[in-house]
Amino acid sequence: MRQICAAALLALTFATPARADLLIEGRAAQALHCAAMLFIVSTELYDLGEISRNSRDTAQRAALVILDQVPGTDDQRRRAMVQRFERIMTSRTPSQLAKEYTDTARWCRSTFLP
């Protein structure tokens, strides 16, 4: 079920019309950012043939576990994730994205995953 949710979330990144930005601050914003980074990077690495489908799915399930720590309804979290995807993808080059992920992944994992 989580895999279906993950695929749907990614698909919605491109299908959701623009809406007012949600305001998520503090620890919740950090969790949202970590979840989005993990989801994006795992998708990109899979698409490049760098990781297996199983590794991608495991990473995306972890991203959803992190996303569950963001307050709000499922729809609010989905919209927040879409907004975060858009900000990340429009404000970073692929090399900047890779560096940011490398610099923050360990902290994200230790902070938001059991």
Side-chain angles (χ1 to χ4, degrees), residues 33-34 37-38 97-112:
H33 189 76
C34 286
M37 290 289 293
L38 182 54
L97 177 65
K99 180 171 180 0
E100 182 178 354
Y101 179 77
T102 300
D103 292 346
T104 62
R106 181 173 289 160
W107 180 86
C108 288
R109 185 173 41 250
S110 67
T111 303
F112 296 110

Side-chain angles (χ1 to χ4, degrees), residues 20-65:
D21 284 348
L22 298 169
L23 181 61
I24 298 176
E25 299 177 311
R27 192 121 173 125
Q30 291 172 328
L32 175 64
H33 189 76
C34 286
M37 290 289 293
L38 182 54
F39 207 95
I40 290 168
V41 169
S42 62
T43 299
E44 292 297 317
L45 289 174
Y46 175 74
D47 290 347
L48 292 170
E50 297 294 322
I51 62 172
S52 69
R53 176 177 291 197
N54 187 51
S55 293
R56 180 205 61 196
D57 293 348
T58 298
Q60 291 181 353
R61 280 191 299 274
L64 292 174
V65 167

Side-chain angles (χ1 to χ4, degrees), residues 51-99:
I51 62 172
S52 69
R53 176 177 291 197
N54 187 51
S55 293
R56 180 205 61 196
D57 293 348
T58 298
Q60 291 181 353
R61 280 191 299 274
L64 292 174
V65 167
I66 296 170
L67 185 61
D68 283 343
Q69 297 173 50
V70 175
T73 66
D74 287 344
D75 183 60
Q76 289 169 327
R77 284 192 296 266
R78 179 192 56 79
R79 286 188 299 124
M81 187 75 132
V82 167
Q83 288 176 0
R84 179 56 52 184
F85 284 163
E86 290 170 355
R87 284 194 187 115
I88 289 170
M89 296 305 286
T90 60
S91 65
R92 291 155 179 81
T93 65
S95 62
Q96 289 170 328
L97 177 65
K99 180 171 180 0

